[in-house]
């Protein structure tokens, strides 16, 4: 399947740009084309950056739609998701809403690990009372912070705190954690299910496409 992946983060670093596409190809075998929105080197991390990203994501979705079978918005805040869905005729999956749906499917209490700023509304609204604690990694202001040794350490300590508070599953509420492969580290350290937002989007896309494909009689 040809998948267009939209990064809500501006970067010229090709390794960082294609990190999520490589993950989706490894796990699902997707043929991924990745593009990023302009003028947001720190991505989406608060209300202002979310509002700024939405129209850019929707415009990029329109540009990419003709050459792919589906689109993934690789940002836990899902900027521009509804606008993109309203303007293209192919499936559009948001990483944040996909991760929330996966957390709900697990059952139990959900510990949300993300940035220092408030958890994206798309996640907190979906989880409702299932969230035991909304925790941001201390000092990690933007997703780029996870690329630093301090970001990795703070993520580990934040996840451990959520586990100690009684979380049954950890939801990574920043795709910056996907860029550093944090889910596998946390699963190994905590012995708990850990939902990576990028792979959750890939799983939801696979399910959505299978539902649209006619089955043999």
């Amino acid at each position: 399947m040809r998948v267009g992946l939209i990064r809500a983060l501006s970067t010229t670093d090709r390794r960082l740009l294609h990190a999520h596409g490589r993950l989706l190809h490894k796990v699902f075998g997707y043929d991924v084309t990745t593009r990023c929105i302009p003028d947001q080197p720190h991505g989406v991390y608060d209300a202002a950056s979310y509002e700024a990203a939405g129209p850019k994501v929707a415009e990029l979705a329109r540009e990419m739609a003709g050459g792919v079978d589906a689109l993934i918005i690789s940002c836990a805040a899902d900027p521009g998701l509804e606008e993109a869905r309203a303007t293209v005729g192919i499936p559009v999956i948001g990483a944040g809403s996909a991760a929330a749906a996966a957390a709900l499917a697990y059952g139990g209490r959900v510990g949300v690990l993300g940035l220092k700023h408030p958890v994206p509304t798309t996640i907190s609204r979906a989880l409702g009372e299932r969230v035991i604690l909304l925790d941001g990694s201390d000092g990690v202001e933007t997703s780029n912070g996870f690329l630093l040794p301090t970001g990795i350490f703070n993520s580990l300590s934040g996840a451990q705190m959520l586990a100690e508070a009684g979380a049954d599953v950890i939801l990574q509420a920043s795709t910056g954690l996907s860029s550093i492969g944090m889910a596998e580290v946390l699963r190994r350290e905590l012995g708990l299910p850990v939902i990576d937002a990028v792979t959750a989007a890939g799983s939801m896309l696979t399910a959505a496409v299978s539902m649209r494909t006619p089955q043999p009689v």
Side-chain angles (χ1 to χ4, degrees):
M1 187 192 321
R2 300 171 304 165
V3 175
L5 188 139
I6 298 174
R7 297 293 306 271
L9 166 78
S10 309
T11 181
T12 57
D13 182 333
R14 294 185 62 81
R15 183 178 178 84
L16 176 60
L17 175 65
H18 296 291
H20 300 173
R22 288 193 300 269
L23 178 59
L24 290 169
H25 178 74
K26 177 182 178 181
V27 176
F28 303 100
Y30 294 154
D31 179 10
V32 182
T33 298
T34 302
R35 292 179 62 183
C36 64
I37 62 173
D39 304 322
Q40 292 200 211
H42 301 295
V44 173
Y45 54 91
D46 61 9
S49 59
Y50 173 84
E51 292 298 329
K56 301 174 188 178
V57 168
E59 177 60 26
L60 197 49
R62 286 190 288 269
E63 293 177 10
M64 298 179 73
V68 297
D69 302 307
L71 290 162
I72 289 176
I73 300 172
S74 196
C75 175
D78 292 351
L81 177 60
E82 295 306 321
E83 297 93 326
R85 285 176 171 170
T87 56
V88 303
I90 58 176
V92 183
I93 305 296
S97 52
L104 290 171
Y106 267 101
R109 295 166 291 184
V110 182
V112 180
L113 182 71
L115 300 173
K116 184 177 181 179
H117 298 279
V119 168
T121 302
T122 187
I123 292 176
S124 59
R125 182 185 298 125
L127 296 179
E129 295 181 358
R130 291 279 298 282
V131 176
I132 61 165
L133 182 64
L134 299 180
D135 178 67
S137 298
D138 290 342
V140 182
E141 300 280 348
T142 72
S143 62
N144 290 333
F146 291 122
L147 303 176
L148 304 174
T150 52
I152 296 171
F153 174 79
N154 287 333
S155 299
L156 275 169
S157 61
Q160 288 169 344
M161 184 181 73
L162 291 169
E164 291 169 2
D168 299 298
V169 57
I170 303 294
L171 188 159
Q172 295 186 161
S174 171
T175 58
L177 292 163
S178 304
S179 300
I180 61 172
M182 200 66 191
E184 286 300 324
V185 176
L186 296 180
R187 289 170 190 141
R188 183 172 64 249
E189 293 295 322
L190 302 178
L192 291 174
V194 178
I195 296 170
D196 176 276
V198 174
T199 54
S203 295
M204 181 169 284
L205 177 56
T206 297
V209 171
S210 66
M211 291 176 64
R212 290 164 60 101
T213 303
Q215 300 298 312
V217 178

